[in-house]
Amino acid sequence: MRTSQPQTIYLSDYKVPAYLVDTVDLRFELFEDGARVHSTLAIRRNPDSQESAPPLELDGDSLVLESVALDGTALSESDYENRGEQLVIRSVPERFSLSVVTWIEPQNNTRLEGLYKSSGMFCTQCEAEGFRCITFFPDRPDVMARFRTRIEADQKAYPVLLSNGNDVDRGELDDGRHFMTWEDPFPKPCYLFALVAGDLVEKRDTFTTCSGRDIDLRMYVEPRNAEKCDHAMDSLKRSMRWDEEVYGREYDLDIFMIVAVDDFNMGAMENKGLNIFNSSCVLASQETATDMAFQRIEAIVAHEYFHNWSGNRVTCRDWFQLSLKEGFTVFRDSQFSADMGSPTVKRIEDVTLLRTAQFAEDGGPMAHPVRPASYMEISNFYTLTIYEKGAEVVRMIHTLLGPELFRKGSDLYFQRHDGQAVTTDDFVRAMEDASGRDLSQFRLWYEQAGTPMLTVSDEFDEGQGVYRLTIEQTIPDTPGQTNKKPQHIPFALGLLGSDGQPLPLRLASDEAEAPTERVLELTEGVHTFEFHDIPSEPVPSLLRHFSAPVRVRYPWTREQLLFLMNHDPDGFNRWDAGQRLAVDVIQRLIGSPDDAAIDPRLVEAYRKLITDTDLDQALVAKMLQLPSEAYLIELAESADVPAIHRARERVLEHLAEALRDDLVACYQRQQETGPYEVTPAAIARRSLRNTALGWLLMINDDEGRALAVRQLNEADNMTDRMGALRALVNSDYEADRRQALDDFYDRFRDDPQVVEQWFSVQAASDRAGQLSDIEQLLAHPAFDWKNPNKIRSVIGSFAGQNLAAFHNPDGSGYRFLADQVCRLDDSNPQIAARLVTPLTRWRKFAPAYSSQMQSALERIRDKDGLSRDVYEVVHKSLAG
Ligand code: B3K
Ligand code: ZN
């Protein structure tokens, strides 16, 4: 817990560590009332450090210090200073061994950082600064050591004892206890340390690497989850193969382990050789997990596995470099998912997240560069900017270099920095050195926050056959940053002729063979490009594949958007044109009378999507999703959420009424024929069917209702069951909704992952998730204040997805959220700080809302003993 005013930490203050640790020898004695940790460190002065005879400073948090010995001699209390958060020994030799014994209480650890208990098992989470909650240590990623770990525990309660590396010893002890010793040959920062002890079942498989080594793959789960491991195991093997084929990366240890735990602050953690997962991000079966969950699990398993190279073998010098491993690894997992499924759909999903949530972050009070210059609490910087924008930055390098040079660059990066803790700049330099390209201006993407805005205008000179495109870039001010420099932006585009055919893009009139798509490189404030031999006024297809994380402003007409929806060879831009058209229609309706007309062209465009079975059905399934309320808010100047919600619902209802018969036909056409599969085609089928169902229930269609009830009872998979449940929950059929929810709960009450979905579908619904309903969910016996998934599925879904209810004009939603944040701040500050996010956006909303959001933030600010996590978010949000 915080004892003083939180301090700001600056990148510019970085100093190399004064001492290095070569080896760490750990012995854990695990008991029900606590754990004793014996640590012996082999320490030596860092030859690169300029300091002369610096004191040894070790980090610690919530530790009871039992003893300290230097080179085997016990130190007395006058030899060291235990400042609580630091253990300082003023004078130490050049090279020595330090033995420290600490006592900790995992059973009372509700922050879920360091060593804690979850469903009766011991587990750890050390990134970013959790290792200091286990023992005193220089808890920074540029101190890399070889770890040896002995775990001792009761044999019956904890038959499985795991840590990083290879198991080298095991045996029995007195009193029914046993031990196991693990040794990790690869030096690693302490944030990658992990320990697990529990009564778990083991699932085994093997993988033969490209050089012919057999790797032992193991998953450890609670016995009731034994049947839910296959998908993750298959995903792991696909990831291992893919990383060999696409990046030339082979796995290094002989064992790779995955453990599922129920109480976990985030999705998963890439500890060396021992990945720990939130149960909801690894366990799946057809009956209990939706298609989305299957895809998410595959992506997260891949992401954590890929970290073995991008993160573990080559790690971060300091936490300002977090995107070095996260941005690159998200880019790698998105390439993997694209290869495993539909690349266009994957791109649409990534861009949707980026444009709604990351752009909002980049335009809000917590905006920070991909490489931040300062922070108070590093846990607050595991953000969409570090992860998703960071991945977009790597993607742009890939676009600028092309796949071959990019691969040369990544090979050089891994070879040059293997075993080192490095910076984002080292990554860019490897890309430069391998490709010969100058990326100095490109580096601004790491330094400047804010989403660049590209304003595009064009003119067509019919006489000359020249089409001129002018692109101006501006980057908005963000906290602490003004007057930004133009960035280096790859801008992919194509031009379509009046017949819908792509035109050759001749940048010079004498260019013979011209491509129909080009990547223009923007480096200045304004650029004008001329395209020659253009027969008639073209329709531009701008920023294809979303080639840069920017906003584009161009005066599209609805005709142009409809034309692009039908003809653009870039699937992503077809989808984007549809989104822009729908946004335009919805925006015009906001605040207008209920009988205002809705453009019939939108209806016809959607009719074509629903009825034309020759179209790519996976793309169609995405195109049918109207822009979300969150995205419409992001686009608004001063958002009135209930008005946005009404306008969007009116468009949905209008579409559903006009297309009613086509929707029923679409539903019937998409019936499942074969066994359940998670392929793009099958996912699209289920998505289309469930979209049709949802729309029919929006208009209280009795046939739709009957279809939903039948689907709910007969579904053989969770996607269809959840699709029907969601449709009923969001409908006006109140009795059916209640019945459906009760039946569903009775069927799945023993499965926490499904109960989380059950909470979430209600909390996110404007029909079933009014504030009084949310309060009832919090009082439900299955709700658990210690379990982050439950908190997210009720409170997070309400504030993040049930936007009309959260933004109730009476301010009750805001006060409710503030109260929950204050309550959680004591038990789990990381989760509390995440939950504040919707309030931090107060400047986006119309004054009646924003003033009440500010009051809610003030209410949190005034809580006694506020954690550093929440302090930082709340103070930055209220500032300025
Ligand atoms: N590296 C972890 C995230 C750790 C978050 C710590 N607050 C998971 C991941 O990104 O792979
Ligand atoms: Zn990661």
Side-chain angles (χ1 to χ4, degrees):
M1 207 77 338
R2 178 167 64 83
T3 48
S4 54
Q5 180 95 344
Q7 300 293 305
T8 300
I9 300 166
Y10 296 93
L11 167 60
S12 54
D13 288 344
Y14 175 82
K15 284 213 282 293
V16 299
Y19 292 90
L20 301 177
V21 181
D22 290 320
T23 60
V24 182
D25 221 302
L26 297 170
R27 178 158 82 94
F28 287 84
E29 295 181 85
L30 304 179
F31 305 102
E32 294 312 305
D33 64 343
R36 182 166 291 111
V37 185
H38 307 252
S39 144
T40 298
L41 312 177
I43 302 180
R44 66 184 157 92
R45 283 286 305 279
N46 181 0
D48 295 337
S49 165
Q50 304 303 319
E51 294 176 75
S52 76
L56 175 74
E57 296 174 341
L58 304 179
D59 304 296
D61 187 348
S62 318
L63 303 171
V64 176
L65 179 61
E66 291 194 341
S67 68
V68 189
L70 200 150
D71 285 333
T73 308
L75 298 188
S76 69
E77 283 184 25
S78 58
D79 299 324
Y80 58 84
E81 210 181 316
N82 180 6
R83 300 189 193 145
E85 294 187 354
Q86 260 190 346
L87 178 69
V88 183
I89 308 180
R90 267 171 310 279
S91 98
V92 290
E94 286 275 326
R95 194 180 270 275
F96 58 100
S97 126
L98 188 78
S99 298
V100 177
V101 180
T102 48
W103 176 258
I104 53 180
E105 295 188 347
Q107 74 281 8
N108 297 327
N109 179 348
T110 56
R111 289 159 55 188
L112 315 185
E113 279 181 284
L115 179 65
Y116 64 93
K117 284 192 88 171
S118 168
S119 320
M121 69 200 262
F122 288 90
C123 64
T124 53
Q125 171 54 37
C126 293
E127 187 177 0
E129 298 180 334
F131 193 72
R132 65 184 63 187
C133 307
I134 295 174
T135 182
F136 286 101
F137 198 79
D139 190 356
R140 43 187 290 169
D142 55 355
V143 172
M144 299 172 82
R146 283 195 312 281
F147 282 66
R148 185 185 168 90
T149 307
R150 173 177 157 121
I151 311 163
E152 303 176 7
D154 184 81
Q155 182 149 22
K156 233 172 137 196
Y158 310 100
V160 173
L161 305 175
L162 311 173
S163 190
N164 319 85
N166 305 309
D167 51 326
V168 294
D169 195 13
R170 67 179 78 195
E172 299 203 345
L173 302 165
D174 291 342
D175 300 329
R177 292 171 68 79
H178 70 146
F179 77 92
M180 197 143 172
T181 305
W182 293 81
E183 208 170 67
D184 182 358
F186 293 94
K188 65 168 175 287
C190 63
Y191 83 84
L192 291 173
F193 169 80
L195 174 158
V196 169
D199 186 1
L200 304 170
V201 294
E202 184 185 76
K203 290 274 164 182
R204 280 194 180 223
D205 210 324
T206 53
F207 176 82
T208 307
T209 70
C210 49
S211 75
R213 290 170 43 242
D214 283 332
I215 313 295
D216 197 354
L217 309 180
R218 305 184 193 169
M219 283 184 69
Y220 293 93
V221 300
E222 289 176 50
R224 63 185 164 84
N225 292 323
E227 304 312 314
K228 291 179 162 192
C229 297
D230 292 351
H231 178 63
M233 191 63 98
D234 291 342
S235 302
L236 174 62
K237 289 187 282 185
R238 286 195 289 273
S239 311
M240 295 178 90
R241 187 63 72 217
W242 186 91
D243 211 15
E244 292 181 346
E245 288 172 0
V246 180
Y247 279 87
R249 299 293 112 202
E250 184 179 356
Y251 186 62
D252 46 14
L253 289 162
D254 299 329
I255 315 179
F256 186 84
M257 297 177 279
I258 287 180
V259 181
V261 303
D262 284 349
D263 303 305
F264 208 63
N265 278 348
M266 63 278 170
M269 178 64 211
E270 70 265 23
N271 317 298
K272 182 80 189 186
L274 177 55
N275 288 0
I276 298 183
F277 276 67
N278 186 322
S279 298
S280 72
C281 296
V282 66
L283 303 175
S285 69
Q286 170 181 340
E287 292 78 24
T288 61
T290 59
D291 292 346
M292 222 162 82
F294 271 90
Q295 290 179 298
R296 197 161 63 119
I297 288 166
E298 180 183 66
I300 299 179
V301 167
H303 178 98
E304 305 311 330
Y305 174 72
F306 296 157
H307 267 316
N308 191 54
W309 275 96
S310 49
N312 302 2
R313 289 288 287 257
V314 181
T315 196
C316 302
R317 186 191 72 172
D318 53 72
W319 292 121
F320 299 100
Q321 319 298 331
L322 182 56
S323 197
L324 173 77
K325 73 179 178 81
E326 296 305 347
F328 186 24
T329 305
V330 172
F331 174 66
R332 277 151 55 68
D333 84 54
S334 71
Q335 288 181 298
F336 168 76
S337 296
D339 284 354
M340 296 300 122
S342 156
T344 304
V345 166
K346 174 64 180 157
R347 192 67 189 133
I348 289 169
E349 288 166 352
D350 288 350
V351 171
T352 301
L353 176 65
L354 192 82
R355 280 207 300 217
T356 37
Q358 196 279 326
F359 281 15
E361 182 171 278
D362 230 354
M366 286 293 286
H368 54 276
V370 170
R371 190 193 62 201
S374 68
Y375 61 77
M376 286 182 184
E377 171 51 61
I378 186 57
S379 299
N380 288 331
F381 283 77
Y382 286 75
T383 59
L384 291 148
T385 300
I386 301 295
Y387 277 67
E388 320 308 322
K389 186 175 181 180
E392 293 296 319
V393 170
V394 177
R395 176 182 294 274
M396 288 189 285
I397 297 179
H398 186 272
T399 302
L400 290 169
L401 268 55
E404 286 83 22
L405 288 177
F406 182 86
R407 168 66 194 269
K408 247 179 99 186
S410 73
D411 283 352
L412 179 62
Y413 168 73
F414 287 126
Q415 175 237 314
R416 187 185 270 178
H417 298 297
D418 191 11
Q420 296 177 359
V422 301
T423 64
T424 54
D425 207 49
D426 292 318
F427 179 81
V428 177
R429 191 165 312 112
M431 290 291 164
E432 287 182 320
D433 291 350
S435 67
R437 287 217 47 167
D438 176 1
L439 296 174
S440 35
Q441 185 184 7
F442 186 85
R443 282 179 171 80
L444 289 171
W445 280 105
Y446 288 93
E447 293 158 29
Q448 297 188 152
T451 307
M453 163 72 89
L454 301 184
T455 306
V456 182
S457 57
D458 57 354
E459 60 180 354
F460 179 58
D461 181 336
E462 201 165 358
Q464 305 257 315
V466 169
Y467 176 72
R468 239 172 249 113
L469 200 64
T470 300
I471 308 177
E472 186 186 344
Q473 74 163 287
T474 50
I475 307 177
D477 292 349
T478 45
Q481 284 191 337
T482 51
N483 294 324
K484 295 176 196 181
K485 301 191 191 105
Q487 291 177 184
H488 184 175
I489 300 175
F491 187 87
L493 92 164
L495 299 177
L496 301 188
S498 49
D499 55 356
Q501 290 304 305
L503 298 171
L505 305 179
R506 291 195 179 84
L507 287 169
S509 48
D510 54 359
E511 210 174 334
E513 291 287 305
T516 56
E517 179 173 307
R518 277 187 185 268
V519 178
L520 307 176
E521 295 191 24
L522 314 178
T523 51
E524 283 160 38
V526 187
H527 277 276
T528 298
F529 299 91
E530 286 190 352
F531 300 94
H532 299 264
D533 291 331
I534 303 291
S536 59
E537 175 142 29
V539 176
S541 165
L542 304 173
L543 199 74
R544 280 196 173 158
H545 334 290
F546 208 71
S547 62
V550 298
R551 296 173 205 269
V552 176
R553 199 154 49 189
Y554 173 80
W556 276 285
T557 63
R558 288 188 181 175
E559 283 76 18
Q560 285 178 314
L561 293 172
L562 287 158
F563 186 82
L564 290 169
M565 271 178 92
N566 285 322
H567 299 294
D568 201 319
D570 178 28
F572 175 84
N573 266 9
R574 284 165 97 116
W575 169 81
D576 196 34
Q579 293 289 296
R580 285 180 196 275
L581 179 65
V583 164
D584 193 37
V585 170
I586 296 169
Q587 280 178 337
R588 294 283 169 86
L589 281 187
I590 294 174
S592 64
D594 266 6
D595 55 359
I598 293 175
D599 194 334
R601 289 172 300 181
L602 184 76
V603 178
E604 289 322 306
Y606 275 70
R607 190 190 308 280
K608 180 163 169 24
L609 291 173
I610 296 173
T611 53
D612 185 348
T613 49
D614 289 341
L615 298 173
D616 169 2
Q617 297 295 290
L619 181 56
V620 168
K622 285 287 165 199
M623 291 185 78
L624 284 178
Q625 310 298 320
L626 282 192
S628 67
E629 288 173 12
Y631 185 50
L632 292 161
I633 292 171
E634 218 290 303
L635 294 174
E637 281 296 321
S638 170
D640 175 346
V641 181
I644 289 175
H645 178 75
R646 263 197 310 280
R648 186 177 179 278
E649 291 239 304
R650 281 201 49 223
V651 172
L652 262 179
E653 284 163 12
H654 180 77
L655 287 171
E657 268 156 20
L659 302 173
R660 192 260 164 206
D661 293 344
D662 297 311
L663 289 167
V664 174
C666 168
Y667 183 91
Q668 307 291 13
R669 207 171 46 238
Q670 305 298 343
Q671 291 303 338
E672 209 67 56
T673 44
Y676 177 81
E677 292 179 320
V678 191
T679 57
I683 293 170
R685 237 185 350 262
R686 286 186 286 272
S687 169
L688 286 171
R689 184 164 64 227
N690 288 314
T691 299
L693 204 54
W695 287 20
L696 288 169
L697 284 169
M698 287 288 301
I699 52 168
N700 304 329
D701 186 277
D702 281 334
E703 188 175 350
R705 169 188 173 216
L707 292 172
V709 171
R710 200 177 71 205
Q711 179 174 318
L712 183 66
N713 295 326
E714 293 177 4
D716 70 348
N717 67 81
M718 186 49 86
T719 306
D720 285 335
R721 201 182 293 279
M722 194 38 91
L725 181 67
R726 177 171 292 112
L728 285 167
V729 164
N730 289 324
S731 77
D732 289 328
Y733 296 109
E734 218 176 310
D736 293 298
R737 174 202 311 161
R738 206 49 274 159
Q739 186 68 46
L741 284 167
D742 290 348
D743 291 351
F744 188 97
Y745 182 75
D746 285 343
R747 182 189 284 259
F748 293 108
R749 59 194 305 156
D750 295 328
D751 188 318
Q753 283 88 59
V754 183
V755 171
E756 283 154 23
Q757 300 175 58
W758 179 80
F759 274 131
S760 174
V761 73
Q762 296 174 75
S765 157
D766 65 331
R767 311 287 155 101
Q770 290 303 310
L771 194 49
S772 56
D773 306 310
I774 301 298
E775 274 156 357
Q776 278 183 26
L777 294 179
L778 294 182
H780 192 277
F783 188 81
D784 176 0
W785 283 101
K786 294 210 173 70
N787 179 255
N789 291 2
K790 298 290 186 306
I791 295 165
R792 280 186 281 257
S793 62
V794 177
I795 305 172
S797 300
F798 171 68
Q801 291 173 54
N802 192 356
L803 299 176
F806 175 62
H807 292 276
N808 190 317
D810 67 10
S812 55
Y814 308 147
R815 284 193 299 278
F816 166 81
L817 185 62
D819 290 345
Q820 310 320 316
V821 168
C822 289
R823 168 175 193 153
L824 284 161
D825 184 56
D826 294 323
S827 56
N828 191 331
Q830 271 187 32
I831 295 295
R834 294 276 148 160
L835 285 181
V836 182
T837 307
L839 290 173
T840 66
R841 312 272 195 260
W842 60 273
R843 283 185 179 79
K844 264 257 121 170
F845 299 88
Y849 300 92
S850 66
S851 60
Q852 301 198 75
M853 294 174 87
Q854 254 177 300
S855 311
L857 284 167
E858 286 160 3
R859 196 180 167 108
I860 303 172
R861 179 196 62 197
D862 295 340
K863 172 187 171 275
D864 281 339
L866 202 61
S867 68
R868 182 168 55 211
D869 308 60
V870 174
Y871 179 100
E872 176 172 35
V873 176
V874 168
H875 279 257
K876 286 186 174 170
S877 301
L878 286 169

